[in-house]
Amino acid sequence: MWNLIRDEVFRPREGDRPLDLEVIELGEDRITLGVIPKIKAGGPVPDAQLRDEWKRPGIWGLCWKEGYAQLGEILRTNEQQVVREFSPLMGNLKPGDRVRTELWPFSDDPSKSFGLTARKVSFLSPLGEFSASLIDGTSKTWVIFVHGKLPPRKTPIAYPLLPTVAELGLPSLLITYRNDVGELPSPDGFHWYGLTEWEDLEGAVSYAQEQGAESVILVGYSMGGAIVTNFLYRAPLAAKVRGVILDAPMLDLGSAIDHGVRQRGLPVFLSGIGKFLAQVRFDVDWKALNYLSRASELDVPILLFHGDADTVVPVETSDALANARPDLVTYHRVPEATHARSWNIDPEKYEAAVRKFLVELMGE
């Protein structure tokens, strides 16, 4: 169990997920996809949530070696195939090609996806120099996006919220942090879910301040939510934060590991054994990784999204945050949304909530 925790939780993911779907038929505005029963060995195998995304309701990305598209409404489905609405974005696709679903239904480049120009910049943290992408705006309040553990990629990322942020005149800074692809590794080569990565975020906030930002709004997805939350507790520059948006934040890593063990159908006591061994062999401080225990220290407005079908981070941790700080937290518990997929289920409702939150913040 210790090896499983080490490899699946703390070790950075390497390589792309396999192309595990096949294009059966392709029309002008619809696509038929079929599952490939066996994946070649040698690449990471997607978890259950990723494996069944191709037949879940919502809007998803569809990726192949030289292209990207959007999957929309499900038209027909059975155990082996699904017919969905299809919108190509870049590249050519034909029957027989292998593809995979992606969280974001846009290609990585914001200029191609939204017509927003992102320029490369860099910032410093105690570990060294990190890259970021900056979309300029007119406001003195910047929005800083902190991604989660998956997928391994380089910035820029075409976050679906970028057009909303840009329309409000807010600059967007899309950052990297230690152990990202092409960036500096941590000394031990492991993710620490905010215990160390908050220093990289502080470097990004410092950069924004140097460029004229008077305040920042932080957006954190999954492990990025853990980084943002510990930044609020630890960073001297936390006073510059005007508000926070969290999507499926990893607020208690120990609870998430228990949740993962239950998802596998294993007895929960195995999780306790694995965590004990991690504490002994790897000096993991599980109490420090429970950011809910310090919720009383939070002092900025938080917009919180979490899907009730999340198989990675238990929705109960966000329930607990919302219950602990109803004075600060505006909570959207999204039915049927899996991990960090709340936007995909109802983009219009999600974006409306974000716009309202940002407008109210800026009106303060």
Side-chain angles (χ1 to χ4, degrees):
M1 179 58 71
W2 151 240
N3 290 339
L4 188 65
I5 292 176
R6 180 195 62 198
D7 293 342
E8 295 199 6
V9 177
F10 292 103
R11 193 185 300 280
R13 296 289 178 90
E14 296 180 356
D16 289 327
R17 291 190 292 111
L19 301 174
D20 55 357
L21 299 171
E22 182 179 0
V23 179
I24 307 300
E25 294 182 9
L26 186 63
E28 185 176 344
D29 59 358
R30 64 184 57 195
I31 190 171
T32 303
L33 296 172
V35 65
I36 299 172
K38 294 183 179 180
I39 305 296
K40 282 186 178 181
V45 177
D47 62 25
Q49 174 171 289
L50 294 170
R51 283 198 301 269
D52 69 1
E53 209 160 68
W54 62 289
K55 56 182 179 180
R56 279 185 176 273
I59 300 176
W60 310 101
L62 188 71
C63 175
W64 60 99
K65 288 184 178 180
E66 298 179 352
Y68 212 89
Q70 284 185 6
L71 293 179
E73 182 181 348
I74 295 174
L75 304 176
R76 296 192 308 276
T77 187
N78 57 41
E79 286 298 316
Q80 296 300 319
Q81 295 184 2
V82 66
V83 181
R84 303 188 70 136
E85 292 181 347
F86 170 76
S87 300
L89 297 176
M90 56 180 289
N92 296 314
L93 195 60
K94 63 183 183 301
D97 285 348
R98 292 193 170 192
V99 296
R100 67 170 180 266
T101 57
E102 289 282 355
L103 165 60
W104 306 124
F106 308 101
S107 63
D108 281 357
D109 190 341
S111 65
K112 294 179 180 177
S113 296
F114 310 122
L116 298 173
T117 301
R119 55 189 177 92
K120 292 182 179 180
V121 298
S122 61
F123 63 91
L124 294 175
S125 89
L127 200 60
E129 185 176 82
F130 289 87
S131 67
S133 296
L134 175 62
I135 299 173
D136 291 315
T138 57
S139 176
K140 294 294 185 181
T141 298
W142 287 32
V143 180
I144 300 179
F145 288 81
V146 188
H147 65 80
K149 183 178 178 181
L150 285 174
R153 71 209 302 173
K154 297 181 181 179
T155 55
I157 297 174
Y159 295 104
L161 295 185
L162 290 176
T164 300
V165 172
E167 287 168 13
L168 296 175
L170 304 168
S172 292
L173 186 65
L174 290 56
I175 74 165
T176 60
Y177 51 84
R178 60 193 67 190
N179 296 314
D180 276 349
V181 174
E183 303 296 330
L184 294 171
S186 60
D188 57 12
F190 290 101
H191 290 305
W192 281 103
Y193 293 83
L195 291 185
T196 57
E197 294 91 349
W198 72 266
E199 295 180 334
D200 304 332
L201 175 54
E202 184 168 53
V205 174
S206 179
Y207 169 82
Q209 188 176 21
E210 292 166 2
Q211 301 302 311
E214 296 176 357
S215 60
V216 297
I217 297 166
L218 305 179
V219 183
Y221 298 87
S222 189
M223 185 171 73
I227 295 169
V228 167
T229 304
N230 202 33
F231 173 89
L232 296 175
Y233 296 144
R234 299 285 303 275
L237 288 178
K240 295 294 179 181
V241 178
R242 197 164 185 169
V244 168
I245 301 173
L246 300 175
D247 193 321
M250 184 71 79
L251 297 173
D252 181 2
L253 184 60
S255 292
I257 290 174
D258 295 342
H259 185 59
V261 168
R262 287 192 294 269
Q263 293 293 318
R264 293 171 181 265
L266 300 173
V268 177
F269 77 85
L270 292 177
S271 174
I273 294 172
K275 287 189 289 185
F276 173 74
L277 292 174
Q279 182 175 343
V280 171
R281 298 184 183 183
F282 200 39
D283 198 27
V284 177
D285 187 343
W286 297 106
K287 290 184 179 179
L289 287 162
N290 179 5
Y291 300 123
L292 288 171
S293 65
R294 300 178 63 179
S296 62
E297 300 175 34
L298 296 169
D299 61 359
V300 296
I302 298 171
L303 178 61
L304 175 62
F305 297 93
H306 208 135
D308 66 5
D310 195 329
T311 61
V312 179
V313 178
V315 68
E316 289 79 11
T317 54
S318 284
D319 295 345
L321 177 62
N323 290 332
R325 298 305 308 267
D327 55 323
L328 295 178
V329 177
T330 301
Y331 185 28
H332 294 264
R333 198 181 200 266
V334 183
E336 299 186 30
T338 52
H339 184 55
R341 269 72 172 169
S342 293
W343 179 93
N344 305 73
I345 296 298
D346 194 337
E348 290 185 5
K349 185 175 181 180
Y350 191 108
E351 290 170 15
V354 169
R355 179 182 293 276
K356 181 175 184 291
F357 181 73
L358 294 177
V359 168
E360 290 176 353
L361 279 182
M362 300 308 294
E364 290 181 354

